[in-house]
Amino acid sequence: MVVGLGPGGAEGMTAGALEALGQAEVIVGYHVYIELIRDLIGSREVVSSGMTQELERCRQAVRLALSGKRVAVVSSGDPGVYGMAGLVLEVLEQAAPDSRLSVKIIPGVTAATAAAALLGAPLTHDFAVISLSDRLTPWDLIVRRLEMAARGDFVTVLYNPRSHGRQIQLRQAGEIFLKHRPSETPVGVVRNAGRDGEEVWVSNLQKFTGLPVDMLTTVIIGNSQTRILNGRLVTPRGYQT
Ligand code: SAH
């Protein structure tokens, strides 16, 4: 099973994810996420490791599953959104192309919708989701996608927006959107959605890069219709026009 944990602790998990975790004999994941669900794990076997160890974790999970164990690979948010679901399927295909092992993918609440709910209702119209991490994707391709989303007037959600080693990318993303949208376009920023230390800011395209945006943060850039109503972001769906 590849299980989406939602944005934070147990309250943000789906009933399906809770059930899957309950059935697992071994739980595999990034150690930070393992800590978030420590109470649910009890005395079960855990395989945890750090960031950048994703491939090794998946290989281990697949080995354990092929040996007959019921394994849950946990991923934050939704496992199919910049998560482990794809990698598990790829590794299984390489390790045992003809195995009839069943892989169940359990969806979760992704950071985009968790952040949107805290901000109001910014995603009630077409939106694009773009990761600013150029660790696995060339930066010029990310720039092209940002440019297209900006030109297409998509509300745009940015994952992996800024880290210690990656400071320029967010500024450049802001500049791309400023070419196509007014500087007062609403931008919502959410840090630690559903976790301790949750923070929510309503800002604009001119100013948002000055906020303490990091890898625990999701940024939502409004489209030309997005408004701030009583301090909350709303992208009208059009019912009232
Ligand atoms: N599979 C995850 C995304 C993994 S990519 C999901 O569906 O949510 C990691 C990025 O997700 C982070 O850099 C951040 O941009 C975003 N993110 C994940 N959890 C978050 C949270 N609790 N609050 C705000 N942003 C979060």
Side-chain angles (χ1 to χ4, degrees):
M1 300 171 286
V2 191
V3 183
L5 298 178
E11 13 12 281
M13 281 168 61
T14 65
L18 280 168
E19 191 188 333
L21 282 182
Q23 290 170 351
E25 294 166 292
V26 188
I27 296 173
V28 180
Y30 175 39
H31 57 76
V32 174
Y33 303 144
I34 294 288
E35 285 320 309
L36 288 173
I37 53 164
R38 188 51 80 180
D39 294 348
L40 298 171
I41 294 177
S43 57
R44 272 167 304 158
E45 189 182 336
V46 169
V47 176
S48 70
S49 52
M51 210 148 72
T52 74
Q53 303 295 304
E54 291 91 353
L55 182 57
E56 194 37 49
R57 270 204 305 275
C58 281
R59 287 186 172 140
Q60 233 170 317
V62 164
R63 273 198 296 274
L64 286 161
L66 289 170
S67 79
K69 294 235 164 117
R70 198 195 293 264
V71 180
V73 175
V74 298
S75 210
S76 84
D78 186 295
V81 180
Y82 309 114
M84 303 294 274
L87 191 54
V88 167
L89 295 174
E90 286 175 62
V91 167
L92 176 62
E93 148 76 20
Q94 284 154 9
D98 301 321
S99 102
R100 293 215 306 274
L101 196 71
S102 88
V103 180
K104 203 167 164 192
I105 296 167
I106 319 281
V109 176
T110 190
T113 52
L118 289 164
L119 287 162
L123 304 184
T124 37
H125 215 292
D126 299 340
F127 65 97
V129 177
I130 299 175
S131 164
L132 293 193
S133 172
D134 53 2
R135 190 159 70 92
L136 304 170
T137 306
W139 179 243
D140 57 353
L141 178 58
I142 299 173
V143 165
R144 184 143 58 95
R145 289 178 178 160
L146 290 166
E147 191 77 50
M148 296 298 177
R151 279 176 45 195
D153 199 28
F154 284 92
V155 176
T156 304
V157 185
L158 303 179
Y159 280 57
N160 302 305
R162 183 157 67 190
S163 69
H164 284 300
R166 273 193 306 105
Q167 297 281 329
I168 313 160
Q169 285 81 348
L170 186 69
R171 213 170 48 227
Q172 222 174 310
E175 283 161 11
I176 291 171
F177 278 84
L178 275 170
K179 284 195 292 180
H180 301 278
R181 292 179 203 177
S183 54
E184 56 288 355
T185 301
V187 175
V189 174
V190 176
R191 185 159 185 274
N192 278 320
R195 299 182 185 160
D196 287 346
E198 178 177 276
E199 292 177 282
V200 179
W201 293 275
V202 172
S203 181
N204 66 37
L205 207 43
Q206 188 65 49
K207 295 195 296 209
F208 82 100
T209 51
L211 291 168
V213 173
D214 62 9
M215 286 296 274
L216 303 172
T217 307
T218 296
V219 173
I220 302 183
I221 301 175
N223 70 9
S224 60
Q225 304 305 307
T226 306
R227 301 282 172 266
I228 299 173
L229 302 178
N230 295 326
R232 319 207 65 194
L233 254 61
V234 178
T235 305
R237 177 77 179 84
Y239 292 114
Q240 294 205 85
T241 54

